[in-house]
Amino acid sequence: MGNPSTARAATSPVTGLFAGLGLLVTGAGLVLRRPRLFGLGLIPPLITSVLFVILFVTSTWLSARTAVWLTPFAEGWSGVEALRAAVSVLVVAISGVLLVLVFTVTTLALGAPLYDRISEQIDAHAGSYAAAPQEGPLRALWSTITQVVKVVAISLPVGAAFLLLGLIPVIGGVIAAVGSALFGGWMVTLEMIGSPSGRRGIRTLRERHRLLCRSPWLALGFGVPTFLLVSVPVLALLVFPIATAAGTLLTRRLVAR
C-alpha cells in the first residue's frame, strides 16, 4: 500500500494534470540526451505527415460542400450562410481530430521498432520491471492491425457526436472543442503507452484503458498537451520520440499504483 497522502495527491485534478505535463518535460530531457535515437524517431512522423497533410487539406477544401450537405433543413433561412460557415469550421476541426488519432496510430505502427527501442532505453534508465513474454511477429502484426481498426471505429462515431453537438448555438462549439481535446488526449495516450505497457503484458486497448483509469487526471495531463502538439504538423515530428519516452514514464507510474 502507498502512502495515503500520496494517494490523495494523485487524485487531485490539478496535481494530476501538472504531473502529466511534467512527464512530457522529463521525457524531452531524457530523449534529447540520446540524439541518435531522437533523430531516428523523427523519420516515421515525417513520412506519415506528408500523407496526412494532403488528407487534411482535402477535407478542408471539401468542408463548405459538407456543411451544405449537413444542413439541408436550413435552406431559405435568413442566417443560413453564417450557420454553414460555423458548420464548415466544425467539419474541419472534427476531421482534424480524427486525422490526428489515425496519424498517431499509423506513425507508431510504422516506427514500432524505433519507438520500442526508445521506450526500452527509458525503461532501462528508470529501473527494472517484470517483463512479460514477447508476442510472435505475426501475432504482433495482427494486434497492430486490429487496434488501428478499433481506434478508427471508436473515433468516427465520437467525432460525429461532437459535430452534432457543435451545431448547438453558442455553447455547442465550446463543448465540441473541449470534448475533442479531452477525447483526443485520452486516445493518444492509449497509443503512446502501447510499447511499455505491452512489455508488461498489457496489450489490448481495453487493458490500457483500465490502466489509465488508475489516474485519469495524470493521463489527461500527459495526453491533452501531446494531442495538441501532434496536431501541429511540424511539432508532430519532434513530439513522437519525446512522447514515447514520457509515455514509458507514465506507464511505470500507473503500473506502480
Side-chain angles (χ1 to χ4, degrees):
M1 293 290 291
N3 187 306
S5 62
T6 302
R8 282 194 298 270
T11 59
S12 164
V14 175
T15 301
L17 290 172
F18 277 100
L21 181 59
L23 290 176
L24 269 178
V25 176
T26 304
L30 289 172
V31 80
L32 290 173
R33 291 180 205 144
R34 296 161 172 81
R36 184 172 178 275
L37 271 183
F38 178 67
L40 290 173
L42 303 180
I43 297 173
L46 179 61
I47 295 171
T48 50
S49 288
V50 175
L51 173 61
F52 279 85
V53 165
I54 293 172
L55 289 174
F56 183 68
V57 169
T58 302
S59 67
T60 302
W61 178 61
L62 293 173
S63 63
R65 298 182 189 180
T66 306
V68 173
W69 179 73
L70 288 171
T71 56
F73 56 86
E75 200 67 47
W77 289 10
S78 59
V80 64
E81 293 303 323
L83 172 65
R84 286 175 173 169
V87 172
S88 178
V89 171
L90 283 170
V91 168
V92 172
I94 299 303
S95 64
V97 171
L98 298 176
L99 285 173
V100 167
L101 295 177
V102 179
F103 169 76
T104 300
V105 69
T106 303
T107 300
L108 291 174
L110 179 65
L114 296 174
Y115 297 127
D116 285 347
R117 191 172 172 190
I118 291 173
S119 181
E120 287 167 0
Q121 288 206 12
I122 300 304
D123 249 336
H125 170 83
S128 61
Y129 65 96
Q134 289 188 345
E135 289 184 306
L138 290 179
R139 184 174 178 81
L141 176 61
W142 176 249
S143 296
T144 299
I145 293 171
T146 55
Q147 288 188 36
V148 170
V149 172
K150 286 177 182 178
V151 168
V152 174
I154 293 168
S155 301
L156 283 176
V158 174
F162 284 137
L163 181 58
L164 292 175
L165 279 172
L167 297 177
I168 301 172
V170 186
I171 192 68
V174 176
I175 294 173
V178 174
S180 296
L182 293 173
F183 172 74
W186 191 268
M187 294 299 292
V188 163
T189 306
L190 284 175
E191 292 305 317
M192 288 297 180
I193 66 169
S195 177
S197 63
R199 288 196 298 279
R200 292 161 172 83
I202 304 168
R203 295 193 171 100
T204 67
L205 283 178
R206 180 173 295 180
E207 290 171 336
R208 291 186 218 164
H209 174 75
R210 285 201 294 262
L211 181 64
L212 295 186
C213 286
R214 294 184 182 184
S215 186
W217 292 109
L218 178 65
L220 289 172
F222 163 83
V224 173
T226 301
F227 170 76
L228 295 175
L229 290 170
V230 170
S231 303
V232 183
V234 176
L235 289 179
L237 302 179
L238 306 175
V239 169
F240 272 91
I242 291 171
T244 299
T248 303
L249 298 176
L250 174 62
T251 302
R252 294 183 66 90
R253 185 171 296 190
L254 292 173
V255 169
R257 290 186 183 276

